[in-house]
Amino acid sequence: MAGRNFLFVPGPTNVPDRILRSMMVAMEDHRSSAFPALTRDLFPQLKRVFQCEEGEVFVFPATGTGAWEASLANTLSPGDRVLAPRFGQFSHLWIDMMQRLGLDVEVIDVEWGAGAPEDRIAAALKADREHRIKGVMVVHNETATGVTSDVAGVRRAMDEAGHPALLYVDAVSSLASIDFRFSEWRVDLAVTGSQKGLMMPAGLGIVCAGPRALEAERRARLARVFFSFADMRRANVDGYFPYTPSLPLLHGLRESLAMLFEEGLANVFARHARLAGGVRDAVAAWGLATCCRASRWHSNTVTAVVVPPHVNAAHVIDTAFRRYNLALGAGLSKVAGKVFRIGHLGDLNELMLLGALAGVEMAMLDCGVEIEAGRGVAAAEAAWRRARSAQPEAVSLAA
Ligand code: PLP
C-alpha cells in the first residue's frame, strides 16, 4: 500500500529515525575494553527516567513479560502471598504468572475500566495482621482498558494499613510517557519494556529495584537463572553483561534516553497529557464512550473506545488496517469486539494523531458507526489549539 503505515497500537510505538539510525551498527566484541563506554551511562540515566534516587536498574534482553518475571523471581519465595488487583488483561496475565511461579495470590477482582481500588487494598492489608502478604502488585497503566491507577494513592493505602509489603508496579505502558515517581511514591520494584515510551523495538525488559527490594533479594528463594539480579549486577558493575547483550538495542537505548532528556521529562509528560486530552475530546464528539470508568483514571497513553453494540470493533480495526493503512489496538479478552484502542504514546505529535483520528472516523463510518465525518478531528484540533494558546511557551519548548 502506498504511503506510510500509521502505527497507533499502544506498543510497539513508532521508532524515531534517530533511534533507527543509531541501531544500524556493526557487531562488536561485548567483552572488549571499549564496550563499557556504551553501557556505563545507561543505568544512571534509566534511574532518572524512573525518578529513582536510590536503587538499581537491570536491563534484560527480554520484554515486559521477562521484566515481570525478573521482579518476582528475585524477591519472592515459593508460597509467598501477594495481593493483586485485576482490572484488565495485563493485570490478569501478571497474576497468571505469579500463580504459575508458585506464589499464593490474593486477587482483588475489579470491573474492567476501573483502576486499582485503594480502599480494598487497605482493607485486605489491615486484615492481614500477621503480615503474610509480601507484595502489592499494581499495573500502573492497564493498556487493555486505558486506565491509569493512582500509585501514590496505593502507597497511601499501604501506609494507612501500616503494612510492610513491597510495592511492585508494572510501568510498561506508562514509563517515559506518564509521570512515574519511583522514589517519591516509595515503589519497591518497577518494570518496563523498550517498545512503548522508550520508542524502541521490543527486546529489553527493564527492572528498577529500590533498597527494600534489594534487601528482599537476599532472602528470596524462587529459582532464577537468566533473570538473576546477582549475575547481572556482577557483570554490570564493570559495564558488561553475564551473556551476550543485544548491541543494537543498547545503542538504541542510549539514543532514546538522549531524546527524552533533550525534550525534558516534564515536557514529555505534558505532551502526552495534551495529546490524550484531544483524543478523549474526539471520542466525546463522536458520541462514544471510553472503557475507562472515571476521569481520575484516564490514561494519557491509550484510549479504549467502546463501539455501539451492533458493531464489531474487530471489523473497525481490520477496515482501518486494510483500507487506510492504520493500525489500531484490538480489544483483548473480555472486551474483544467491544473496543478498539488508540495508542498515543512515544514519538508522536498532533498532526500524526489527527491522521489517525481521521482514519478512525473513516473506518467507523465504513462499518456503520453513526458519526458525523470530521467531528472528532475538529474536536481534537480545538483541544490542542486551546492547549497551545494557554501555554504559548510550549511552542518554543517543542520547537
Ligand atoms: N504490561 C503491560 C501494561 C503491557 O501493556 C504489556 C504489553 O503490552 C505487558 C505488560 C507485556 O509486555 P511485553 O509484551 O513486552 O512482554
Side-chain angles (χ1 to χ4, degrees):
M1 199 185 284
R4 60 168 304 165
N5 175 249
F6 277 64
L7 183 63
F8 282 86
V9 296
T13 62
N14 294 292
V15 180
D17 291 348
R18 251 178 87 172
I19 295 182
L20 279 177
R21 279 195 296 271
S22 76
M23 293 190 299
M24 290 175 69
V25 289
M27 289 306 107
E28 277 174 39
D29 174 11
H30 61 286
R31 304 200 194 281
S32 82
S33 57
F35 187 74
L38 166 65
T39 57
R40 210 177 284 121
D41 292 340
L42 298 177
F43 301 103
Q45 288 183 352
L46 279 168
K47 273 176 71 174
R48 269 177 71 192
V49 176
F50 279 99
Q51 302 187 55
C52 166
E53 278 150 28
E54 212 187 327
E56 281 182 59
V57 170
F58 302 94
V59 180
F60 294 97
T63 67
T65 304
W68 274 347
E69 184 160 342
S71 70
L72 304 172
N74 283 282
T75 56
L76 292 164
S77 300
D80 271 355
R81 174 164 282 212
V82 293
L83 181 69
R86 172 161 55 195
F87 45 86
Q89 181 65 359
F90 293 100
S91 38
H92 167 72
L93 289 175
W94 199 13
I95 287 168
D96 176 59
M97 173 185 279
M98 294 166 206
Q99 289 166 336
R100 285 156 70 179
L101 285 174
L103 299 172
D104 172 13
V105 191
E106 185 175 330
V107 179
I108 302 180
D109 266 308
V110 178
E111 185 190 18
W112 285 32
E118 299 87 354
D119 51 345
R120 292 176 65 190
I121 291 173
L125 293 176
K126 278 181 196 157
D128 178 37
R129 294 212 180 77
E130 292 160 21
H131 294 172
R132 287 187 55 221
I133 295 171
K134 301 296 178 217
V136 175
M137 336 301 270
V138 177
V139 173
H140 185 203
N141 187 74
E142 177 48 81
T143 324
T145 55
V147 160
T148 304
S149 286
D150 177 4
V151 176
V154 172
R155 169 46 79 191
R156 275 195 301 278
M158 294 171 73
D159 289 347
E160 183 199 318
H163 199 287
L166 298 182
L167 176 56
Y168 293 66
V169 181
D170 171 328
V172 174
S173 58
S174 60
L175 194 84
S177 32
I178 296 173
D179 197 3
F180 182 80
R181 304 181 183 191
F182 186 93
S183 290
E184 190 182 316
W185 299 340
R186 283 178 290 128
V187 174
D188 295 296
L189 281 126
V191 304
T192 199
S194 47
Q195 76 277 22
K196 311 244 182 197
L198 291 172
M199 308 171 284
M200 291 172 54
L204 296 179
I206 302 170
V207 185
C208 184
R212 292 180 66 229
L214 298 171
E215 207 180 288
E217 182 196 353
R218 289 198 226 114
R219 299 184 298 271
R221 286 179 291 100
L222 276 178
R224 64 203 91 123
V225 181
F226 183 79
F227 288 120
S228 163
F229 284 177
D231 291 358
M232 263 295 174
R233 180 182 297 118
R234 255 193 305 279
N236 284 173
V237 165
D238 299 314
Y240 296 99
F241 284 79
Y243 31 64
T244 318
S246 166
L247 194 74
L249 289 177
L250 295 179
H251 278 278
L253 180 59
R254 186 164 69 173
E255 199 63 25
S256 155
L257 292 165
M259 287 182 72
L260 288 170
F261 297 136
E262 278 165 29
E263 184 175 354
L265 284 180
N267 293 330
V268 171
F269 303 147
R271 174 167 56 83
H272 281 82
R274 187 172 72 241
L275 295 176
V279 172
R280 288 192 287 268
D281 282 3
V283 177
W286 292 326
L288 298 176
T290 66
C291 195
C292 181
R293 293 275 184 262
S295 59
R296 66 178 286 238
W297 291 315
H298 276 156
S299 166
N300 286 341
T301 58
V302 55
T303 299
V305 182
V306 181
V307 296
H310 67 281
V311 175
N312 181 348
H315 189 202
V316 176
I317 293 163
D318 194 46
T319 303
F321 184 66
R322 282 186 301 101
R323 291 197 183 160
Y324 305 115
N325 215 357
L326 166 66
L328 299 169
L332 301 172
S333 177
K334 276 191 194 180
V335 290
K338 296 181 184 151
V339 309
F340 64 83
R341 295 173 299 149
I342 306 173
H344 34 85
L345 72 162
D347 182 49
L348 83 168
N349 60 27
E350 285 86 347
L351 295 194
M352 291 162 79
L353 254 177
L354 284 175
L357 293 174
V360 168
E361 289 191 351
M362 289 196 288
M364 286 201 296
L365 285 164
D366 292 351
C367 294
V369 184
E370 284 163 15
I371 56 159
E372 197 183 312
R375 280 289 290 271
V377 169
E381 275 184 28
W384 293 330
R385 292 184 60 240
R386 267 197 315 274
R388 287 296 195 188
S389 54
Q391 288 178 309
E393 75 279 10
V395 174
S396 58
L397 283 172

